[in-house]
Amino acid sequence: MASDHRLGALKAFDDTKAGVKGLVDAGVTAVPAIFHHAPESLDDAPHHHGHQFAIPVVDLAGLATPFGRASAVGAVKAAAETVGFFQAVNHGVPEAALSAMLAALRGFNEETADAKAPYHTRDDSRRVRYHSNFDLYQSPAANWRDTLYMEMAPEPPAPEEIPPACRAIALEFAGLVQGLGSTLLGLVPEALGLRQGHLEEHTQCLEGPSLACHYYPACPEPHLTLGTTKHSDPGFLTVLLQDAVGGLQVLVEDDKQQPAWADVSAVAGALVVNVGDYLQLMSNDRFKSVEHRVVAKSAGPRVSVACFFGAEGSTRVLAPIVADGGNARYRNTTVDEMARHYRAKGLDGVSSLQHVRI
């Protein structure tokens, strides 16, 4: 647990309701101690730090033809079984909607602290929440970012609940991404050799996504902190919109089977897609929910929107789909149990899947 001194510093920071952006606006030239990460968590896979590794690209243009669909299914399967990440192109979300969403988030975060304060809360029952670090009081070190959360399930927030800067675009963007999520989750059963539609019946994972809209201000001492600690995602799939600033890294194995951080570079117009923990569980480890992080940078701000397809709060059972003669690697659980566990532990560098692994 945090020491009294640290707890006081965390509370003082939280009470400003101005987040990391407030520190930057106040002209800090040194990163406060609450953001200092242990050296081992800053570089826990030192080989070829941030080396170039091409994340697979999956083209969704030809899904209407049997050949195009088979080719996309094969590409999704290859990516999901290895690196757990891919860049989706020709995904059907117009470029204008992508840039409008990023611009709206920059606009919101760059308003005055007073304008943002009404949205500041740590009450998980609110569908729209703005704060810095959901696990501020649990984590060993805070991350250099602020986040606006918008929950689109079981029903989306009313327009007046959404900050004015984002009001016009947020619901439109979420609807477009939900369409893409539905397309991708339609390919997943085929990639696992199951029939189409298998996932939807079992999981309701096609409810609206949870949006985590992250704002990572430029950092005066990026070597001391992180934008986001190493973690794997809850949910089935995550669709990520990121700007061109960079900083996202994924943990891959290099040519000597050593863990290494690889940069997930921005590809113009692409959306980054990754496997979440629930899909690794359901696939019985065939698909990989891979650890990733965001490094702090002296450039910025970095703006990104992570859209989690996770049926947050659902009592649906998650059970591994086991091949004939195989053994289940996980006990059965529910989406609700996994989501609660994830929130309670925070980003501590340990996979939530350890909680249910047999």
Side-chain angles (χ1 to χ4, degrees), residues 212-272:
C213 308
H214 297 307
Y215 183 87
Y216 301 87
C219 182
E221 297 179 301
H223 58 286
L224 295 178
T225 189
L226 285 166
T228 300
T229 320
K230 177 177 83 166
H231 67 288
S232 60
D233 287 349
F236 292 92
L237 281 180
T238 306
V239 174
L240 178 83
L241 164 62
Q242 61 169 350
D243 67 10
V245 171
L248 175 63
Q249 296 184 335
V250 55
L251 199 55
V252 297
E253 286 190 344
D254 66 14
D255 40 21
K256 298 185 180 63
Q257 268 65 61
Q258 291 297 312
W261 287 112
D263 296 315
V264 181
S265 309
V267 170
L271 287 164
V272 177

Side-chain angles (χ1 to χ4, degrees), residues 263-342:
D263 296 315
V264 181
S265 309
V267 170
L271 287 164
V272 177
V273 181
N274 64 279
V275 171
D277 289 348
Y278 306 173
L279 192 50
Q280 178 168 329
L281 184 155
M282 286 191 72
S283 72
N284 208 34
D285 284 347
R286 281 175 57 190
F287 285 180
K288 306 283 187 278
S289 176
V290 172
E291 291 181 314
H292 49 286
R293 68 179 184 182
V294 177
V295 295
K297 295 178 78 102
S298 51
R302 167 185 164 84
V303 183
S304 68
V305 185
C307 310
F308 299 99
F309 288 90
E312 178 87 28
S314 156
T315 54
R316 285 294 174 125
V317 171
L318 293 175
I321 298 164
V322 183
D324 292 342
N327 292 319
R329 297 186 179 184
Y330 301 96
R331 65 174 173 81
N332 290 7
T333 180
T334 64
V335 166
D336 193 45
E337 183 195 348
M338 289 293 285
R340 277 204 312 268
H341 177 72
Y342 184 86

Side-chain angles (χ1 to χ4, degrees), residues 61-349:
L63 293 183
T65 69
F67 174 78
R69 187 172 184 92
S71 139
V73 165
V76 166
K77 178 176 191 283
E81 287 179 345
T82 52
V83 67
F85 272 72
F86 59 89
Q87 304 261 15
V89 296
N90 296 314
H91 45 64
V93 182
E95 200 134 358
L98 304 182
S99 49
M101 186 69 199
L102 292 174
L105 285 171
R106 273 186 216 105
F108 168 71
N109 281 280
E110 287 160 15
E111 284 176 12
T112 64
D114 286 349
K116 292 182 283 192
Y119 302 96
H120 189 280
T121 181
R122 291 192 180 275
D123 174 0
D124 279 343
S125 69
R126 296 246 310 252
R127 284 183 293 193
V128 177
R129 309 183 294 284
Y130 162 69
H131 55 240
S132 184
N133 290 259
F134 78 94
D135 55 351
L136 184 70
Y137 293 102
Q138 296 111 289
S139 67
N143 287 319
W144 196 257
R145 69 160 200 280
D146 302 326
T147 305
L148 175 68
Y149 292 94
M150 292 183 269
E151 305 289 348
M152 298 294 160
E155 63 275 323
E160 61 272 15
E161 292 176 73
I162 298 172
C166 309
R167 203 166 281 167
I169 186 62
L171 296 173
E172 181 197 345
F173 173 79
L176 289 163
V177 169
Q178 187 166 357
L180 171 60
S182 153
T183 299
L184 291 168
L185 286 161
L187 299 175
V188 163
E190 293 169 69
L192 282 168
L194 306 165
R195 65 190 163 67
Q196 221 172 318
H198 187 101
L199 269 180
E200 289 112 288
E201 300 154 24
H202 283 289
T203 58
Q204 282 180 319
C205 49
L206 290 187
E207 289 188 323
S210 298
L211 269 51
C213 308
H214 297 307
Y215 183 87
Y216 301 87
C219 182
E221 297 179 301
H223 58 286
L224 295 178
T225 189
L226 285 166
T228 300
T229 320
K230 177 177 83 166
H231 67 288
S232 60
D233 287 349
F236 292 92
L237 281 180
T238 306
V239 174
L240 178 83
L241 164 62
Q242 61 169 350
D243 67 10
V245 171
L248 175 63
Q249 296 184 335
V250 55
L251 199 55
V252 297
E253 286 190 344
D254 66 14
D255 40 21
K256 298 185 180 63
Q257 268 65 61
Q258 291 297 312
W261 287 112
D263 296 315
V264 181
S265 309
V267 170
L271 287 164
V272 177
V273 181
N274 64 279
V275 171
D277 289 348
Y278 306 173
L279 192 50
Q280 178 168 329
L281 184 155
M282 286 191 72
S283 72
N284 208 34
D285 284 347
R286 281 175 57 190
F287 285 180
K288 306 283 187 278
S289 176
V290 172
E291 291 181 314
H292 49 286
R293 68 179 184 182
V294 177
V295 295
K297 295 178 78 102
S298 51
R302 167 185 164 84
V303 183
S304 68
V305 185
C307 310
F308 299 99
F309 288 90
E312 178 87 28
S314 156
T315 54
R316 285 294 174 125
V317 171
L318 293 175
I321 298 164
V322 183
D324 292 342
N327 292 319
R329 297 186 179 184
Y330 301 96
R331 65 174 173 81
N332 290 7
T333 180
T334 64
V335 166
D336 193 45
E337 183 195 348
M338 289 293 285
R340 277 204 312 268
H341 177 72
Y342 184 86
R343 275 198 301 272
K345 76 180 195 60
L347 301 183
D348 61 357

